[in-house]
Amino acid sequence: LTASTPDSPSNGVLELNVKQIMATSQGRGRVSEAWTGGIEITVKNVSQRPVRLGEGPMTYELAVWDASGSPVPKTRYGQQIDQAQRNGPTRMPATASVELLPGQEYTCQLGLRTFFAIQPGQDYTVWLKRWDRSMALIDESGHRVALRELSRTLKGIGRPSVR
C-alpha cells in the first residue's frame, strides 16, 4: 500500500465518496479554512435494488501519508487497533444497519486524529477502504458482486486556505 495505490470507488452497486471537513474561522476581514483531521464518508446505492449496509468501527481501513510520502505515525489508540489486527482479525459487530434504496446515500464522519498524529496546517494524503463482508451484493443481472471493497484517496488535504 502506497500513496499511489489505485482507487476502486464503485462496484456497480455501491459508490464511495470521501471529502475533508474544513473548519472555518474569521478574523481581520478574512475568512480562513483549515483541516482539523475530519473526513466525511458517503456511500451511495447506484443500483436499482435495495442494499443493506452494516456500519461499525472496523468497517474502514485507513492510511495517511505526509507531504514527503512518509506514513504518518499512529496515535496510541491507532497503535492499539493496529496491534489487535496483527494478532488476528478483529471482528466487531456493526453498530448500525442501514438499508439504502436505489439512489439513497449514507453519510458518516470520522476523525482521523483519533488514529493518526495529524498536525493542523500540514499537507496529507489520506487513503480509505470500506468493506462490508456481511452484505450480499447483487448486481443488476442478479449475480453476486465479487468486489465488496471500495476505496478512495484524498491528495493534498490539510493545506490552510485564506479568502
Side-chain angles (χ1 to χ4, degrees), residues 106-132:
Y106 174 80
T107 300
C108 65
Q109 295 182 354
L110 185 62
L112 298 182
R113 291 180 75 182
T114 303
F115 308 99
F116 298 94
I118 293 172
Q119 302 300 316
Q122 301 297 313
D123 191 12
Y124 296 99
T125 297
V126 175
W127 176 83
L128 177 131
K129 178 171 74 173
R130 184 202 186 282
W131 70 92
D132 189 340

Side-chain angles (χ1 to χ4, degrees), residues 51-159:
V51 175
R52 181 157 299 282
L53 300 179
E55 284 294 320
M58 301 309 289
T59 305
Y60 299 102
E61 182 178 335
L62 302 160
V64 181
W65 297 272
D66 64 18
S68 71
S70 297
V72 173
K74 293 190 177 182
T75 63
R76 184 176 175 154
Y77 182 70
Q79 291 171 0
Q80 289 171 348
I81 294 291
D82 195 39
Q83 186 61 38
Q85 290 182 359
R86 281 195 191 120
N87 293 334
T90 303
R91 300 184 193 278
M92 298 181 77
T95 56
S97 181
V98 179
E99 182 175 74
L100 294 179
L101 298 176
Q104 279 189 318
E105 297 178 345
Y106 174 80
T107 300
C108 65
Q109 295 182 354
L110 185 62
L112 298 182
R113 291 180 75 182
T114 303
F115 308 99
F116 298 94
I118 293 172
Q119 302 300 316
Q122 301 297 313
D123 191 12
Y124 296 99
T125 297
V126 175
W127 176 83
L128 177 131
K129 178 171 74 173
R130 184 202 186 282
W131 70 92
D132 189 340
R133 302 267 187 244
S134 65
M135 183 173 31
L137 292 175
I138 307 297
D139 67 13
E140 295 302 310
S141 61
H143 297 97
R144 281 190 85 152
V145 173
L147 180 63
R148 293 187 184 191
E149 299 175 348
L150 306 175
S151 63
R152 281 282 189 180
T153 303
L154 296 174
K155 295 185 178 187
I157 68 172
R159 295 182 202 136

